[in-house]
Amino acid sequence: MDIFINIGFYHFLLTALFLFATGLLGVIVSKNLLKILISLEIMFCGVTLNLATFAVYCDNSHFKGSILALFVIALSAVHIAIGIAITLNIYKFKETVNMDNIGELKG
């Protein structure tokens, strides 16, 4: 029960590493464009958690890490909006979101 009370710096870093590795594995393995976008968002969550952890535990006088974490959250929201718009346009023209089928440039 003591491990649940004393959650520290390395626990957050290991969680961020797990999120980033899971997202990276999803990007490498998946062939569906929507799954790749979701995996990229999981990677962004890992990066944001890492930034927030360093902001809390290492940066006592300034809020640079927190501001950068908020910037990454805003960028990931824009990234997913643009990615879904592109995915919908690809699906409209190619009728698939499989990366193997949309790899050719000719219509």
Side-chain angles (χ1 to χ4, degrees), residues 78-90:
V78 170
H79 171 263
I80 198 69
I82 292 172
I84 288 176
I86 291 171
T87 304
L88 287 174
N89 280 333
I90 288 173

Side-chain angles (χ1 to χ4, degrees), residues 33-100:
L33 192 58
L34 291 175
K35 287 182 185 178
I36 292 172
L37 287 173
I38 291 170
S39 298
L40 284 172
E41 287 301 314
I42 292 172
M43 288 173 64
F44 279 136
C45 287
V47 169
T48 306
L49 181 62
N50 198 4
L51 288 171
T53 301
F54 279 111
V56 169
Y57 284 100
C58 296
D59 190 18
N60 294 329
S61 61
H62 304 288
F63 295 109
K64 293 177 184 173
S66 302
I67 292 170
L68 192 59
L70 288 174
F71 184 70
V72 168
I73 291 171
L75 256 163
S76 67
V78 170
H79 171 263
I80 198 69
I82 292 172
I84 288 176
I86 291 171
T87 304
L88 287 174
N89 280 333
I90 288 173
Y91 182 75
K92 184 175 147 183
F93 291 113
K94 298 282 187 174
E95 295 179 356
T96 185
V97 290
N98 193 356
M99 290 299 289
D100 292 334

